[in-house]
Amino acid sequence: MTERILSIDTFDIRFPTSRHRDGSDAMNPFPDYSAAYIVLRTTAGAEGHGFVFTVGRGTEIEVAAIRSLAKMIIGQPVDELVADPGVLSQRLIGDSQIRWLGPAKGVVHMAAGGLVNAVWDLAARRAGQPLWRLLAALSPEQLVAQIDWRYLRDALTPDEALDLLRNATGGRAEREKVLLDEGYPAYTTTPGWLGYDDEKLARLCAEAVEDGYRLIKLKVGANLADDVRRLAIARRAVGPEVRLAVDANQIWGVPDAIGWMRELAPFDPYWIEEPTSPDDILGHAAIRAALAPVKVATGEHAHNAVMFKQLLQAGAVDVVQIDACRVGGVNENLAILLLAAKFGVPVCPHAGGVGLCELVQHLAMFDFVAVSGTTQDRAIEYVDHLHEHFTDPVHIENGRYVAPRAAGMSAEMRPATLTAYRYPDGPEWTAA
Amino acid sequence: MTERILSIDTFDIRFPTSRHRDGSDAMNPFPDYSAAYIVLRTTAGAEGHGFVFTVGRGTEIEVAAIRSLAKMIIGQPVDELVADPGVLSQRLIGDSQIRWLGPAKGVVHMAAGGLVNAVWDLAARRAGQPLWRLLAALSPEQLVAQIDWRYLRDALTPDEALDLLRNATGGRAEREKVLLDEGYPAYTTTPGWLGYDDEKLARLCAEAVEDGYRLIKLKVGANLADDVRRLAIARRAVGPEVRLAVDANQIWGVPDAIGWMRELAPFDPYWIEEPTSPDDILGHAAIRAALAPVKVATGEHAHNAVMFKQLLQAGAVDVVQIDACRVGGVNENLAILLLAAKFGVPVCPHAGGVGLCELVQHLAMFDFVAVSGTTQDRAIEYVDHLHEHFTDPVHIENGRYVAPRAAGMSAEMRPATLTAYRYPDGPEWTAA
């Protein structure tokens, strides 16, 4: 009997992180890291897990969107689905009625991405491979066929993408060995949350250097005098060689960003992340031109490949920050990795939150093995929150992500977590 | 006792328009025009109505988002709310947790816009004024205070906006009289849906000219040979003087748009609307440069003021098409009207669907009286669908919108409609 998708269950999972101000930044002083969580089951008993990362209120809206889109997957034959998730990706994103609510952005796009990722998790589990390795074993032709090219050809044609991928096939085996032996560089945001006091900042910065990190990120943008003081503390703690990036989480307009960052220049910031609206491509280009050699980084809120295309076309970014849960899933992130490779801009994935490190490591590692072929000036964000809730949590050694060996996308939360943190009726919430 | 917001009811209202292919275009062959409908009631028995226009599936997601945001309004004092809806607008759009699902885009942004519009409807009803007139009576200072300037100052400062508005105060009374006497120009999309056959197209084009329209719009982009034939038919039917615009509803990439439109050039198209992804600012700029003197129009899917800002900064559009239900409500549309005025680009609002004509006429008329001061090269889209469901429907005379006199934003649907078309349990759906 043909194996089919039997059920898709959704869960509103919230962690009360705001109680300790973990994750606090200029735009979001009190986040409760959360997930609209997806479990997809087949008639043969196989599972695929996925989720959309959220920060508290509104997770119920994301759950509603996933439930609406899930109807389009129930009953689908599994062999076809996992052989070519690009078909599903385009059907979910292109639905002629639901696309009015986007198109390709916000709640409905993230819901599509969560479901697409769950199908890739299923595909990798069935193949007995970690996702990064499954992707890296696909042919250039198979990879290019996973992408919706409609709006991308003016920046990158499928033929150019094929050339890029073919050029990278040579060293795949060697790079896979390097990755398995040495892991992939990480950077840490753990020391830099706005809600932490000066003593904690200094201590965590020093610890990060001891732990092997060469890039540390601090949140800025709430108060200039505080930022100057905190950056001075951090620079003293890490010395002149370790890179210090700063992240404004969209707090500024274009002129504010330029003025504020000039005050922070004495502390040699490596990049300024999200200096303004994530939609403001021309604004990022203006900020980059004004602040060079300080780099401009963005992407965690860039809602689709068309936005990344323009950030690259406009010369608006030095660092592309993909996110595993913002765009339409693995397929759209393949397009973004190829665009970044074409323009020669390094990708440093956004992570942290809950489960973002677990998911996005697969994309960065695939990029190293099969697309860009390098980890030069690249690192995956790392924050040491909430990994204990996953069955295959990320593992960091000496400031590097250890390549995951288990089959899948590392997306699965522990069953006890799905019970305890379910909102609003799990015991962690009813007890509070 | 202080009057407060007592309740906010939401309705999933869908019209089975796909049965006759009304509204069919290249990206959406079978839309069911719908609305996530909002009724806000105060403790004194006053009402405000609003809605988010949708096209069928997914309306339930929009309803879920409205319900989540509505919690932030229940219990608010009405006098404060209607005296300064900008405060509410910024609170809804800026909620530190829900903004993760945007920010300022898609499902959650449209939900905020629907609620903000409902509050403006309440404000205008309490003032006993049609909304356009309430807005046109505000001082330049009051209008400027209604706008979130965070991301706009690099293109337009509050001081520049004040100057624009002050320069327009002089003729307000005269223009209000002209508007009341003569109405506001309309253009029609009724003849041009892709699902209509050639005979119907020719007949409706001729009727539109007889009815006084000087601009008619046709859908294109599904099949080039069909488009060439249909444009030839339309041009023959309307003669050389009436303007023919075409609308591709995002079907093309940038090179396709340029190539396809060159084939349609012999029929003298006035503008090409939505030639590519609504997110592709640089793409629109490239298309405009390649196709001049054919104009480029977009905006119905431009998700916030930052996108309009860039379309104007990049010289990407000749025509700005605001939509009453896409952005964060009246407040954000005020910003967009001021940006368009600053850049000297005419605004031709998107309408049609269900209730979009009713809402957006207020914004265009306000613009004429108090911002741009002109109707030159401006017209509001008109489609003769579904107006019978409103208590204060738009009225067209000789190709012009008659200025509404009733208090409010013309947003109220008839009670019988809310019963009959409720999805999925209203009799119009259970009978089908």
Side-chain angles (χ1 to χ4, degrees), chain B residues 9 86 128 130 136 171 187-188 192 222 254 267 292 299 328 331:
Chain B
D9 293 317
Y187 78 87
T188 179
V254 173
F267 308 103
N331 298 68

Side-chain angles (χ1 to χ4, degrees), chain A residues 184-227:
Chain A
Y184 193 102
Y187 77 88
T188 178
T189 308
T190 297
W193 304 109
L194 280 187
Y196 291 176
D197 64 31
D198 291 351
E199 182 279 323
K200 189 170 181 178
L201 168 66
R203 176 169 50 81
L204 292 176
C205 280
E207 287 175 13
V209 175
E210 281 167 37
D211 289 344
Y213 293 102
R214 306 300 294 160
L215 171 60
I216 297 170
K217 191 167 79 185
L218 269 62
K219 300 293 181 176
V220 296
N223 178 287
L224 180 55
D226 286 347
D227 287 350

Side-chain angles (χ1 to χ4, degrees), chain B residues 281-310:
Chain B
I281 292 146
L282 302 178
H284 281 84
I287 292 166
R288 181 170 179 249
L291 294 180
V294 176
K295 297 180 189 298
V296 169
T298 197
E300 75 183 73
H301 272 90
H303 55 265
N304 60 34
V306 173
M307 298 304 285
F308 283 98
K309 178 185 81 165
Q310 293 177 89

Side-chain angles (χ1 to χ4, degrees), chain B residues 167-179:
Chain B
N167 287 340
T169 49
R172 278 192 188 188
E174 293 78 1
R175 287 192 297 274
E176 186 171 320
K177 187 172 178 319
V178 169
L179 182 65

Side-chain angles (χ1 to χ4, degrees), chain A residues 150-151 250-251 280 309, chain B residues 150-151 250-251 280 309:
Chain A
R150 183 191 296 261
Y151 296 135
Q250 313 167 20
I251 195 84
D280 200 344
K309 177 185 79 165
Chain B
R150 183 191 296 262
Y151 297 134
Q250 313 167 21
I251 195 85
D280 200 345
K309 178 185 81 165

Side-chain angles (χ1 to χ4, degrees), chain B residues 185-204:
Chain B
Y187 78 87
T188 179
T189 308
T190 296
W193 303 109
L194 280 189
Y196 291 175
D197 64 31
D198 291 351
E199 182 281 324
K200 189 169 182 178
L201 167 67
R203 177 168 50 81
L204 292 175

